[in-house]
PDB file of all heavy atoms in Angstrom:
ATOM      1  N   PHE A 113       0.108 -17.387  11.909  1.00 95.00           N
ATOM      2  CA  PHE A 113      -0.111 -18.608  11.169  1.00 95.00           C
ATOM      3  C   PHE A 113       1.151 -19.572  11.400  1.00 95.00           C
ATOM      4  O   PHE A 113       0.953 -20.838  11.510  1.00 95.00           O
ATOM      5  CB  PHE A 113      -0.174 -18.355   9.689  1.00 95.00           C
ATOM      6  CG  PHE A 113      -1.628 -18.029   9.291  1.00 95.00           C
ATOM      7  CD1 PHE A 113      -2.161 -16.866   8.922  1.00 95.00           C
ATOM      8  CD2 PHE A 113      -2.539 -19.101   9.303  1.00 95.00           C
ATOM      9  CE1 PHE A 113      -3.342 -16.602   8.479  1.00 95.00           C
ATOM     10  CE2 PHE A 113      -3.945 -18.967   8.915  1.00 95.00           C
ATOM     11  CZ  PHE A 113      -4.233 -17.736   8.493  1.00 95.00           C
ATOM     12  N   LEU A 114       2.244 -18.864  11.750  1.00 95.00           N
ATOM     13  CA  LEU A 114       3.323 -19.865  12.227  1.00 95.00           C
ATOM     14  C   LEU A 114       2.886 -20.553  13.610  1.00 95.00           C
ATOM     15  O   LEU A 114       3.163 -21.734  13.750  1.00 95.00           O
ATOM     16  CB  LEU A 114       4.662 -19.003  12.536  1.00 95.00           C
ATOM     17  CG  LEU A 114       5.438 -18.683  11.378  1.00 95.00           C
ATOM     18  CD1 LEU A 114       6.678 -17.725  11.774  1.00 95.00           C
ATOM     19  CD2 LEU A 114       6.047 -19.910  10.647  1.00 95.00           C
ATOM     20  N   THR A 115       2.309 -19.837  14.453  1.00 95.00           N
ATOM     21  CA  THR A 115       1.797 -20.478  15.690  1.00 95.00           C
ATOM     22  C   THR A 115       0.717 -21.481  15.374  1.00 95.00           C
ATOM     23  O   THR A 115       0.713 -22.546  15.919  1.00 95.00           O
ATOM     24  CB  THR A 115       1.194 -19.358  16.639  1.00 95.00           C
ATOM     25  OG1 THR A 115       2.283 -18.496  17.021  1.00 95.00           O
ATOM     26  CG2 THR A 115       0.499 -19.952  17.774  1.00 95.00           C
ATOM     27  N   PHE A 116      -0.169 -21.224  14.437  1.00 95.00           N
ATOM     28  CA  PHE A 116      -1.178 -22.075  13.948  1.00 95.00           C
ATOM     29  C   PHE A 116      -0.645 -23.408  13.540  1.00 95.00           C
ATOM     30  O   PHE A 116      -1.079 -24.462  13.858  1.00 95.00           O
ATOM     31  CB  PHE A 116      -2.080 -21.401  12.892  1.00 95.00           C
ATOM     32  CG  PHE A 116      -3.223 -22.290  12.380  1.00 95.00           C
ATOM     33  CD1 PHE A 116      -4.446 -22.394  13.103  1.00 95.00           C
ATOM     34  CD2 PHE A 116      -3.126 -22.756  11.190  1.00 95.00           C
ATOM     35  CE1 PHE A 116      -5.560 -23.148  12.598  1.00 95.00           C
ATOM     36  CE2 PHE A 116      -4.097 -23.572  10.675  1.00 95.00           C
ATOM     37  CZ  PHE A 116      -5.421 -23.762  11.362  1.00 95.00           C
ATOM     38  N   PHE A 117       0.278 -23.224  12.525  1.00 94.00           N
ATOM     39  CA  PHE A 117       0.963 -24.555  11.964  1.00 94.00           C
ATOM     40  C   PHE A 117       1.709 -25.248  13.095  1.00 94.00           C
ATOM     41  O   PHE A 117       1.702 -26.537  13.065  1.00 94.00           O
ATOM     42  CB  PHE A 117       1.860 -24.137  10.881  1.00 94.00           C
ATOM     43  CG  PHE A 117       1.129 -23.595   9.643  1.00 94.00           C
ATOM     44  CD1 PHE A 117       1.512 -22.377   9.043  1.00 94.00           C
ATOM     45  CD2 PHE A 117      -0.063 -24.216   9.220  1.00 94.00           C
ATOM     46  CE1 PHE A 117       0.866 -21.907   7.860  1.00 94.00           C
ATOM     47  CE2 PHE A 117      -0.744 -23.724   8.173  1.00 94.00           C
ATOM     48  CZ  PHE A 117      -0.311 -22.609   7.476  1.00 94.00           C
ATOM     49  N   MET A 118       2.276 -24.550  13.971  1.00 94.00           N
ATOM     50  CA  MET A 118       2.943 -25.315  15.115  1.00 94.00           C
ATOM     51  C   MET A 118       1.935 -26.039  16.043  1.00 94.00           C
ATOM     52  O   MET A 118       2.260 -27.164  16.439  1.00 94.00           O
ATOM     53  CB  MET A 118       3.741 -24.249  15.965  1.00 94.00           C
ATOM     54  CG  MET A 118       4.977 -23.738  15.285  1.00 94.00           C
ATOM     55  SD  MET A 118       5.847 -22.476  16.328  1.00 94.00           S
ATOM     56  CE  MET A 118       6.343 -23.480  17.695  1.00 94.00           C
ATOM     57  N   ILE A 119       0.854 -25.442  16.234  1.00 93.00           N
ATOM     58  CA  ILE A 119      -0.229 -26.011  17.162  1.00 93.00           C
ATOM     59  C   ILE A 119      -0.569 -27.390  16.579  1.00 93.00           C
ATOM     60  O   ILE A 119      -0.647 -28.385  17.208  1.00 93.00           O
ATOM     61  CB  ILE A 119      -1.391 -25.066  17.326  1.00 93.00           C
ATOM     62  CG1 ILE A 119      -1.041 -23.916  18.190  1.00 93.00           C
ATOM     63  CG2 ILE A 119      -2.489 -25.917  17.960  1.00 93.00           C
ATOM     64  CD1 ILE A 119      -2.151 -22.795  18.184  1.00 93.00           C
ATOM     65  N   HIS A 120      -0.976 -27.379  15.307  1.00 92.00           N
ATOM     66  CA  HIS A 120      -1.568 -28.485  14.610  1.00 92.00           C
ATOM     67  C   HIS A 120      -0.380 -29.533  14.242  1.00 92.00           C
ATOM     68  O   HIS A 120      -0.578 -30.758  14.346  1.00 92.00           O
ATOM     69  CB  HIS A 120      -2.366 -28.190  13.473  1.00 92.00           C
ATOM     70  CG  HIS A 120      -3.550 -27.297  13.918  1.00 92.00           C
ATOM     71  ND1 HIS A 120      -4.636 -27.930  14.557  1.00 92.00           N
ATOM     72  CD2 HIS A 120      -3.835 -26.041  13.711  1.00 92.00           C
ATOM     73  CE1 HIS A 120      -5.470 -26.835  14.852  1.00 92.00           C
ATOM     74  NE2 HIS A 120      -5.049 -25.749  14.258  1.00 92.00           N
ATOM     75  N   GLY A 121       0.776 -29.073  13.768  1.00 93.00           N
ATOM     76  CA  GLY A 121       1.868 -29.980  13.397  1.00 93.00           C
ATOM     77  C   GLY A 121       2.442 -30.628  14.609  1.00 93.00           C
ATOM     78  O   GLY A 121       2.588 -31.978  14.494  1.00 93.00           O
ATOM     79  N   PHE A 122       2.578 -30.033  15.736  1.00 92.00           N
ATOM     80  CA  PHE A 122       3.114 -30.766  16.889  1.00 92.00           C
ATOM     81  C   PHE A 122       2.039 -31.551  17.617  1.00 92.00           C
ATOM     82  O   PHE A 122       2.274 -32.519  18.288  1.00 92.00           O
ATOM     83  CB  PHE A 122       3.777 -29.830  17.786  1.00 92.00           C
ATOM     84  CG  PHE A 122       5.121 -29.257  17.450  1.00 92.00           C
ATOM     85  CD1 PHE A 122       5.345 -28.005  16.813  1.00 92.00           C
ATOM     86  CD2 PHE A 122       6.236 -30.187  17.462  1.00 92.00           C
ATOM     87  CE1 PHE A 122       6.511 -27.547  16.475  1.00 92.00           C
ATOM     88  CE2 PHE A 122       7.466 -29.663  17.112  1.00 92.00           C
ATOM     89  CZ  PHE A 122       7.619 -28.482  16.480  1.00 92.00           C
ATOM     90  N   GLY A 123       0.832 -31.166  17.397  1.00 91.00           N
ATOM     91  CA  GLY A 123      -0.269 -31.905  17.984  1.00 91.00           C
ATOM     92  C   GLY A 123      -0.468 -33.220  17.266  1.00 91.00           C
ATOM     93  O   GLY A 123      -0.615 -34.301  17.992  1.00 91.00           O
ATOM     94  N   MET A 124      -0.273 -33.147  15.974  1.00 91.00           N
ATOM     95  CA  MET A 124      -0.389 -34.545  15.207  1.00 91.00           C
ATOM     96  C   MET A 124       0.828 -35.323  15.442  1.00 91.00           C
ATOM     97  O   MET A 124       0.802 -36.566  15.557  1.00 91.00           O
ATOM     98  CB  MET A 124      -0.537 -34.151  13.734  1.00 91.00           C
ATOM     99  CG  MET A 124      -1.832 -33.643  13.327  1.00 91.00           C
ATOM    100  SD  MET A 124      -1.809 -33.244  11.541  1.00 91.00           S
ATOM    101  CE  MET A 124      -3.438 -32.290  11.401  1.00 91.00           C
ATOM    102  N   LYS A 125       1.972 -34.593  15.639  1.00 91.00           N
ATOM    103  CA  LYS A 125       3.240 -35.518  15.902  1.00 91.00           C
ATOM    104  C   LYS A 125       3.176 -36.169  17.208  1.00 91.00           C
ATOM    105  O   LYS A 125       3.657 -37.296  17.427  1.00 91.00           O
ATOM    106  CB  LYS A 125       4.374 -34.504  15.875  1.00 91.00           C
ATOM    107  CG  LYS A 125       5.775 -35.266  16.098  1.00 91.00           C
ATOM    108  CD  LYS A 125       6.938 -34.213  16.066  1.00 91.00           C
ATOM    109  CE  LYS A 125       8.198 -34.983  16.330  1.00 91.00           C
ATOM    110  NZ  LYS A 125       9.374 -33.955  16.301  1.00 91.00           N
ATOM    111  N   SER A 126       2.510 -35.514  18.175  1.00 88.00           N
ATOM    112  CA  SER A 126       2.445 -36.015  19.547  1.00 88.00           C
ATOM    113  C   SER A 126       1.383 -37.152  19.635  1.00 88.00           C
ATOM    114  O   SER A 126       1.558 -38.176  20.412  1.00 88.00           O
ATOM    115  CB  SER A 126       2.164 -34.971  20.564  1.00 88.00           C
ATOM    116  OG  SER A 126       1.869 -35.448  21.845  1.00 88.00           O
TER     117      SER A 126
END
Side-chain angles (χ1 to χ4, degrees):
F113 274 107
L114 277 177
T115 296
F116 179 77
F117 292 133
M118 287 178 64
I119 291 171
H120 299 290
F122 284 102
M124 292 180 185
K125 182 179 179 181
S126 174

